Amino acid sequence: MIRRNYASHRRSLMRRLPDGLILLSGGVNVVRNHDVHYPFRQQSHFLWLTGVEEAGCHLLLDPRRGTETLFVPKIDANYRVWEGHVPGPGESRKLFGIRKVAYADEFKDALAKARQGHKRLYADPKAITFLETVDKDTDGLQKLPDELEDALAELRAIKDDGEVAMLRRASAISGK
């Protein structure tokens, strides 16, 4: 199996944007009709940075402190009956190689600590919406979604060894 180096991707992004917090939101389940959802597809940049294929997650990077935190939703037993196993914080830490994993309801407190000394927030539009829903007092942070998008596009344009191997394998399979 070809493994991608998500930790290397996160480090590259933090080197690229060292002067602020970085926040990305993963995809969410979209209801098609009443109790039927469209097939889930993770946000591409989020997947490239984390490898997480579950809905409702968020990633907070602090380049200055060198910290990374993945926030995952709390899943109840009823959800698991219908959707199957979803990794919790401990399992997510091992699966995705992210140093700290917490539940999404801990985001506000984590952000309050991380914000100290930061004036910039590189965040995708969905992350900005999530942030403003969770914490109404975000006026002190300059939100820079375009700069984040530009940095990710440039970083993703150059493929690492794992990505090249995956492209070669996909091409070989398509050729058959």
Side-chain angles (χ1 to χ4, degrees), residues 27-48:
V28 295
N29 285 314
V30 178
V31 177
R32 189 179 80 193
N33 54 7
H34 305 292
D35 61 349
V36 177
H37 292 86
Y38 284 103
F40 176 72
R41 183 184 185 285
Q42 186 60 274
Q43 296 290 333
S44 295
H45 291 321
F46 191 85
L47 183 63
W48 185 79

Side-chain angles (χ1 to χ4, degrees), residues 75-114:
I75 304 299
D76 63 17
N78 188 43
Y79 182 91
R80 290 179 203 278
V81 166
W82 294 102
E83 300 296 328
H85 176 73
V86 176
E91 187 178 356
S92 293
R93 216 174 351 272
K94 292 175 188 169
L95 282 173
F96 309 118
I98 296 176
R99 292 181 214 132
K100 183 175 181 187
V101 181
Y103 286 115
D105 61 2
E106 300 172 52
F107 177 79
K108 185 175 180 178
D109 293 337
L111 178 67
K113 287 174 70 175

Side-chain angles (χ1 to χ4, degrees), residues 21-79:
L21 293 174
I22 302 167
L23 178 63
L24 290 101
S25 286
V28 295
N29 285 314
V30 178
V31 177
R32 189 179 80 193
N33 54 7
H34 305 292
D35 61 349
V36 177
H37 292 86
Y38 284 103
F40 176 72
R41 183 184 185 285
Q42 186 60 274
Q43 296 290 333
S44 295
H45 291 321
F46 191 85
L47 183 63
W48 185 79
L49 289 166
T50 65
V52 175
E53 295 185 34
E54 304 301 331
C57 298
H58 309 279
L59 178 67
L60 180 63
L61 303 174
D62 185 343
R64 186 179 300 156
R65 295 176 182 100
T67 60
E68 50 187 34
T69 307
L70 175 67
F71 295 91
V72 298
K74 280 188 180 175
I75 304 299
D76 63 17
N78 188 43
Y79 182 91

